[in-house]
Amino acid sequence: MSGQGERVQRTLGRGSIVPLFVILQALVVFSIWSLGAINETTDRLYALYLSVDLVSFAAVSYLYRVDYVNRGLLAAAVVMILILILPIMFGIL
Amino acid sequence: MTETVTENVSKARTQQAEKRSRLTRLVTWFDERLGLSHEMLRPAPQYSINPFYWLGALAVVAFVIQGITGIMLALYYVPSPTQAYSSTLYVFQNVSYGSFLQTVHLYTAYAMIMLTFMHLMRGYFVSVHKKPRELMWLVGMAMGFVTLGFGFTGYLLPWTVVSKSATDVGVGMINALPPSVSSFLVFLIVGSGSDAAEVLRFYDLHILVLPAALLILLVLKMYLLETHGVAEPAMTELSSMPMEKKRLIPIFPDVSFYLMELAALFGAAMLVIAAMFPLTLPPQYTPMAAAETIAQPDWYFLWIYQILKIQIFEGPGLPVALVLSSLIFVALIVLPFIDRSQTIQIRRRQKYVTIGAIFAAEVGVLSIWGLLTPGMVISTEQAVLVLGGTALLIAVASAVMYRVLFRGLSKGAPPAPSLTSPSLRSAMLWTSASFVFLLGLGALAIGSCFDSVAGLVSGGVTSGGLESLALSLFGLSIAVVGTIYLLYRLDLGGGSIKRRVKALEVGWKN
């Protein structure tokens, strides 16, 4: 288990990416709670928030799991999150 | 002096321990209590860190999402012919995120069926049915049938005109079977035969019997997976694989975290699709509305339905069609006892790989064809041409691919290089994807060509018919040109086509 601990330390020491993803998750969960009225738009908002949450979770899990981070995959996750967030930011729903 | 050094070391260790992240401590806390890192489960090889190895696991994730959303929907649903539709409509209109729940429930069901089919086909191609995994195959087949049962029973529950009409067609087909079989099946599915008994029976099957059956089969499958482990790769010889790929990794955290990532991405994809294409509830079932509706099963049964729509199987030929359709499933069930050789490498199983590819292509062609021709009877000649054309196309493509990709293996040549280089793997992936796309396009174009010609012959020459024919021929030409180009590109390494062209053409300059 000590090896496990070292591994976590090593992964978390790669920078501040993991905390950023975790903060993002916290923000989208808070946003989900802020949704109220029942209509198609809130349905979509809910789906997008939850998707961002899941992709962030997958990214954190990936960062924890691997010894060597594939930057392409990480960039893909960030792009996916941006694609999901942009419609919310610009109100294209 | 020695004591001071020891104290300093001790202090440093304490400080280091305090600095350990909370995540580490959390993982350690669970690990000390659950023993997760002590290889409670059989470790998996590194090469299994690949989505294709976990298609079944993703189907299980879909099943879990189905369970969660299904429980929420069951809080409002009333299984009676008079209230089934209104209670579903109530969820759509009045329940918070009810429409979204319905959409996610339906789309995840579709994903579960698609993933199960992909899991089946992958298992077939990579020979997971072979010794000692025959029982795993049989359990997997049973799980596949239960999954289709979920689709069949769940489709009726909203009591829409589309779902009830399609279910009536399905139940009607059962009546064409021998009386001893049909009476038992009809009793099992629709009970006394009244609408009330039918919807209640379907509901019970959908929320009690089938989930229980799937859970039991899932436990059995997990036990067998734990016993036999992950199957060996079928694209590369295990002996030629680098040690790094063969290294065993623990289920926790490596494999379990990987599965969580896949599950999270799958869930995100399902949510986005549900958000982009929200479900709308079709009209309620009434006998009058049903008379004006073309009965058509959901997409995963369309390929069987399309076979039954072939002219030769109309009326008295229906039992023959049902027996033929059933034979496909029987063949899949007994596959481990037919294909008994111990060879698992794809490049050495041309016959079975070709048969599997033809089956998958025919299922795809029949499904799309069924979608395009709702309620239309298919002439026998047209069916023979389209299905035969597809089979021929796949068989020729398979023969060519085996000749180009695995050339010389049968003559005792050394095995192909292992696919370890990322660029080579990527090239293989793109080549395979291009071939699948081109073959799909070709099969569709052939079917469409036959359809257009049949339309022109039977209905006379019209501008619409000619446009359709031109479009089909254009698609076919793209498929043919694309395939030739791809084969030429593939052959550049060997250079045999290039040499032949060089020998024939004057003025070829390399």
Side-chain angles (χ1 to χ4, degrees), chain B residues 270-348:
Chain B
M270 283 290 102
L271 289 170
V272 171
I273 292 169
M276 284 170 67
F277 307 102
L279 191 64
T280 49
L281 195 64
Q284 184 176 8
Y285 168 77
T286 57
M288 196 181 288
E292 294 167 1
T293 305
I294 298 169
Q296 178 107 319
D298 221 354
W299 61 267
Y300 40 88
F301 285 126
L302 264 183
W303 65 280
I304 300 177
Y305 188 57
Q306 191 68 3
I307 293 175
L308 303 181
K309 275 164 53 186
I310 298 172
Q311 202 173 19
I312 198 169
F313 297 136
E314 289 283 298
L318 186 59
V320 179
L322 289 173
V323 169
L324 283 177
S325 307
S326 308
L327 277 178
I328 296 170
F329 292 109
V330 172
L332 281 171
I333 292 168
V334 299
L335 180 70
F337 311 103
I338 301 171
D339 181 15
R340 299 183 69 178
S341 81
Q342 283 302 298
T343 311
I344 62 164
Q345 294 299 314
I346 284 178
R347 60 170 169 263
R348 297 184 203 285

Side-chain angles (χ1 to χ4, degrees), chain B residues 410-446:
Chain B
S410 56
K411 294 171 188 166
S418 62
L419 305 175
T420 51
S421 150
S423 58
L424 189 59
R425 265 197 317 226
S426 166
M428 285 292 286
L429 194 69
W430 278 109
T431 308
S432 311
S434 308
F435 259 120
V436 169
F437 172 74
L438 288 169
L439 288 175
L441 183 67
L444 273 176
I446 287 176

Side-chain angles (χ1 to χ4, degrees), chain B residues 345-410:
Chain B
Q345 294 299 314
I346 284 178
R347 60 170 169 263
R348 297 184 203 285
R349 296 178 63 235
Q350 184 175 2
K351 185 173 72 179
Y352 281 100
V353 169
T354 307
I355 292 170
I358 288 173
F359 170 68
E362 298 285 20
V363 167
V365 167
L366 282 167
S367 300
I368 295 168
W369 199 11
L371 209 62
L372 297 174
T373 56
M376 281 170 60
V377 174
I378 306 300
S379 74
T380 308
E381 297 79 16
Q382 203 179 359
V384 169
L385 284 172
V386 173
L387 298 181
T390 306
L392 190 68
L393 190 71
I394 298 293
V396 170
S398 168
V400 172
M401 276 185 75
Y402 266 81
R403 188 155 178 79
V404 173
L405 292 178
F406 308 131
R407 174 178 41 199
L409 279 173
S410 56

Side-chain angles (χ1 to χ4, degrees), chain A residues 1 7-8 44 61 64-65, chain B residues 24 31 97 254 257 261 275:
Chain A
M1 198 55 212
R7 187 170 173 177
V8 174
R44 286 182 179 169
S61 171
Y64 170 72
R65 179 174 60 83
Chain B
T24 311
D31 185 54
Y97 304 107
D254 296 74
F257 271 58
E261 288 155 33

Side-chain angles (χ1 to χ4, degrees), chain B residues 174-195:
Chain B
I174 295 170
N175 285 320
L177 292 169
S180 56
V181 182
S182 67
S183 56
F184 170 72
L185 284 176
V186 167
F187 170 74
L188 185 75
I189 296 171
V190 294
S192 63
S194 67
D195 282 351

Side-chain angles (χ1 to χ4, degrees), chain B residues 156-169:
Chain B
L156 174 76
L157 297 183
W159 208 252
T160 62
V161 64
V162 181
S163 66
K164 173 70 172 125
S165 306
T167 309
D168 284 348
V169 171

Side-chain angles (χ1 to χ4, degrees), chain B residues 69-83:
Chain B
T69 52
I71 288 169
M72 291 178 185
L73 293 173
L75 297 174
Y76 300 94
Y77 182 74
V78 183
S80 89
T82 50
Q83 293 183 69

